[in-house]
Amino acid sequence: MSRTEAPPLPEPLRVPVADSHTHLDMQDATVEESLARAAAVNVTAVVQVGCDVAGSRWAAETAAAHPAVHASVALHPNEAPRIVHGDPDGTARQGAREPGGRAALDEALAEIDALAALDHVRGVGETGLDFFRTGPEGVAAQEESFRAHIEIAKRHGKALVIHDRDAHADVLRVLRDAGAPERTVFHCYSGDAEMARICAQAGYFMSFAGNVTFKNAQPLRDALAVAPAELVLVETDAPFLTPAPYRGRPNAPYLIPVTLRAMAEVKGMDEDALATAVYDNTARAFDF
């Protein structure tokens, strides 16, 4: 089986569920194809997440055109340092960039603020901190951007979608310091059980992705085990983090049932009961 070949459709869920975090613009299929495959397995809603100004515009436009799509808009934590300090090497998706300084970051944040005001935009994110890909020189720009997104989410009454990579303590510190929005979602939850208890006490939603199925992910499963069912979401983060046994192949919203069934086993819950809870939680988190 080719590593580039799409995995087969899993057995459909009996109860509708939502994919709380996906990137349809990074997947090979059209939006219509992605939504049709997802609906075939009872994944009836997706949250399309923007990572830069262009992607956030696309998310808002796609949500406006498709009732099953809900948008979240933001500058990814790694985007803020690129805007401020430039990126001479670029990435596969984005070419080299000249430094824009604080003025360029303010301009980009103003665009995110305007998009967040739209009715069909339900979240502000993914924002947060990422100390894996960004070195010490980019930390200040990341935190400034994170704090600005928190204020945007609160101003417009939208969910805050957090990207937290190798930055648990600092993310929690900023949320405490700035004051978290009423609805806060840890996308691709990556903390341990102790952090899950802290998040639960604060009322933060924890969204689990396909990596909860990986052999080396016992700390994630321990966190899921203690996370209250009323605060648990499921996501693909597609095209990334494809669940086992398809790890390394392209991910898409139609694979949500694979992850959800693994989650139900970890939590000792009936599959239908977890799917019901997850859909209700996602609708509550993103107000749809």
Side-chain angles (χ1 to χ4, degrees), residues 35-126:
L35 295 177
R37 286 179 198 159
V41 296
N42 227 354
V43 178
T44 59
V46 304
V47 179
Q48 166 63 25
V49 179
C51 294
D52 55 22
V53 169
S56 294
R57 285 194 199 118
W58 190 90
E61 291 165 2
T62 303
H66 299 276
V69 179
H70 307 281
S72 188
V73 299
L75 308 177
H76 189 282
N78 293 325
E79 176 72 359
R82 290 187 192 125
I83 292 172
V84 174
H85 301 297
D87 187 2
D89 300 322
T91 66
R93 283 177 51 80
Q94 299 177 330
R97 254 189 280 185
E98 294 294 320
R102 170 68 184 269
L105 180 59
D106 287 346
E107 184 179 340
L109 287 166
E111 292 219 37
I112 297 301
D113 189 24
L115 289 169
L118 300 171
D119 285 345
H120 47 277
V121 172
R122 301 296 185 174
V124 173
E126 57 188 281

Side-chain angles (χ1 to χ4, degrees), residues 22-24 26-28 236-242 249-252:
T22 194
H23 302 285
L24 296 172
M26 301 182 194
Q27 297 166 38
D28 289 337
T236 55
D237 197 22
F240 314 108
L241 299 177
T242 312
R249 292 166 66 182
N251 201 5

Side-chain angles (χ1 to χ4, degrees), residues 33-288:
E33 288 167 344
S34 291
L35 295 177
R37 286 179 198 159
V41 296
N42 227 354
V43 178
T44 59
V46 304
V47 179
Q48 166 63 25
V49 179
C51 294
D52 55 22
V53 169
S56 294
R57 285 194 199 118
W58 190 90
E61 291 165 2
T62 303
H66 299 276
V69 179
H70 307 281
S72 188
V73 299
L75 308 177
H76 189 282
N78 293 325
E79 176 72 359
R82 290 187 192 125
I83 292 172
V84 174
H85 301 297
D87 187 2
D89 300 322
T91 66
R93 283 177 51 80
Q94 299 177 330
R97 254 189 280 185
E98 294 294 320
R102 170 68 184 269
L105 180 59
D106 287 346
E107 184 179 340
L109 287 166
E111 292 219 37
I112 297 301
D113 189 24
L115 289 169
L118 300 171
D119 285 345
H120 47 277
V121 172
R122 301 296 185 174
V124 173
E126 57 188 281
T127 181
L129 299 172
D130 186 324
F131 296 161
F132 178 76
R133 294 198 184 280
T134 295
E137 72 285 348
V139 168
Q142 279 199 0
E143 183 164 329
E144 181 181 348
S145 179
F146 184 21
R147 288 176 180 272
H149 282 82
I150 291 171
E151 292 310 310
I152 291 169
K154 289 195 286 193
R155 181 157 55 250
H156 298 292
K158 304 297 170 77
L160 181 73
V161 179
I162 291 177
H163 171 106
D164 162 27
R165 189 163 188 186
D166 294 352
H168 305 323
D170 286 285
V171 166
L172 292 172
R173 169 184 59 80
V174 173
L175 286 174
R176 285 193 304 268
D177 185 40
E182 182 181 346
R183 291 167 286 124
T184 295
V185 177
F186 273 77
H187 132 69
C188 189
Y189 180 84
S190 59
D192 59 11
E194 181 183 356
M195 181 173 160
R197 293 187 181 97
I198 293 169
C199 289
Q201 190 169 17
Y204 302 151
F205 292 95
M206 289 163 271
S207 183
F208 290 84
N211 56 342
V212 76
T213 68
F214 296 174
K215 286 182 180 177
N216 63 350
Q218 191 56 47
L220 270 187
R221 290 186 283 276
D222 293 343
L224 173 59
V226 302
E230 65 271 17
L231 292 175
V232 169
L233 311 181
V234 65
E235 66 174 84
T236 55
D237 197 22
F240 314 108
L241 299 177
T242 312
Y246 308 113
R247 184 177 182 179
R249 292 166 66 182
N251 201 5
Y254 74 83
L255 290 173
I256 279 284
V258 179
T259 300
L260 185 121
R261 288 179 175 122
M263 290 170 61
E265 189 173 334
V266 169
K267 291 200 71 62
M269 288 181 68
D270 172 77
E271 174 189 314
D272 294 358
L274 182 60
T276 299
V278 162
Y279 187 91
D280 290 346
N281 296 343
T282 313
R284 187 159 45 94
F286 291 97
D287 193 25
F288 63 75

